[in-house]
Amino acid sequence: MLDAFRAILDGDEPPPPGSPAPSEEELTRALQVMLKGQCVYAATPGIGRSYELARHYAPFFRDYFACLGYRFEVAHRDQMVFLALPPDGVRHEAQGERLRKDETLVLLALRLAYEEGLRDSRVATDGTVDCTTDDIADSIRSAARSDPPDEARLIEILRLFSRKGALRLGERDRLERVTPLTVMPGIAVLSPDAWMDQVRAWAAAGEGRPPAG
């Protein structure tokens, strides 16, 4: 890995078209951005060249994160790079801790909102689906037959998943007391199909601890 890292810095690997080879700081930052964000987009603010570097040097990023037990992928259509854990993988870092019940329900509702958008052809050209905090609360009531978290806690949870690339939060409407949000393609990375099946079974049972995130 160190040799591959140095080869990129020294320009032995062709740099992105029209751009110089990254500095050590830029390449290190790109690796850290991936670990922190998990789902990173071309339009993600404040990440410098991280998306460009991760996409261009995909073989290096794939090998590097494979050593950590992750699968690195490039989704060209969605202009997204992301880290996914193999179905039989085990996470030991802090971000791999089990989600709380309310966090699990919100993540489930976000994934359902995205699926409904796909089904109803409400997907924007960038692969996103718009909805509101009211939609998420209603989905929790209907799909999980559970009370949603209060508004403050719901926003806190949404901000958590926003940092992972699952959504963008809009400006809250103070009169309607609702916040618009945009569900991103990364929601399918954070809530893969196998996890969704487990959560649906857990929600139907109505007891026990939620599945690990």
Side-chain angles (χ1 to χ4, degrees), residues 197-212:
D197 291 341
Q198 294 175 9
V199 171
R200 286 189 173 103
W202 164 75
E207 57 184 15
R209 298 178 65 189

Side-chain angles (χ1 to χ4, degrees), residues 78-173:
D78 298 322
Q79 292 191 298
M80 174 180 70
V81 290
F82 65 88
L83 298 178
L85 190 71
D88 57 348
V90 178
R91 293 176 62 174
H92 297 285
E93 88 284 15
Q95 296 178 16
E97 295 178 354
R98 187 181 296 270
L99 295 175
R100 297 178 180 178
K101 177 181 177 180
D102 57 357
E103 294 167 345
T104 300
L105 292 176
V106 171
L107 188 58
L108 169 65
L110 287 169
R111 177 63 191 270
L112 293 176
Y114 193 75
E115 290 181 351
E116 290 172 2
L118 292 174
R119 186 182 64 241
D120 299 339
S121 300
R122 293 186 290 103
V123 183
T125 55
D126 58 355
T128 61
V129 171
D130 291 333
C131 62
T132 70
T133 46
D134 277 357
D135 295 327
I136 298 303
D138 289 343
S139 181
I140 291 174
R141 293 189 188 97
S142 60
R145 298 189 298 277
S146 180
D147 291 331
D150 62 37
E151 184 184 16
R153 174 60 178 157
L154 177 57
I155 293 298
E156 179 184 359
I157 296 171
L158 291 172
R159 284 176 177 157
L160 166 68
F161 293 132
S162 174
R163 292 192 291 270
K164 305 299 292 180
L167 65 118
R168 290 195 306 259
L169 277 168
E171 191 71 25
R172 180 178 184 268
D173 187 318

Side-chain angles (χ1 to χ4, degrees), residues 170-181:
E171 191 71 25
R172 180 178 184 268
D173 187 318
R174 295 185 178 182
L175 293 178
E176 299 292 334
R177 298 186 64 183
V178 65
T179 300
L181 51 100

Side-chain angles (χ1 to χ4, degrees), residues 24-67:
E24 181 173 350
E25 179 181 358
E26 284 181 313
L27 191 54
T28 299
R29 180 186 188 186
L31 292 168
Q32 293 174 345
V33 164
M34 289 304 312
L35 275 174
K36 180 181 179 181
Q38 189 170 352
C39 300
V40 177
Y41 305 87
T44 299
I47 61 170
R49 298 172 64 197
S50 295
Y51 169 80
E52 174 192 14
L53 296 178
R55 185 185 62 175
H56 182 74
Y57 296 112
F60 165 73
F61 277 73
R62 190 171 294 116
D63 291 344
Y64 178 90
F65 286 111
C67 295

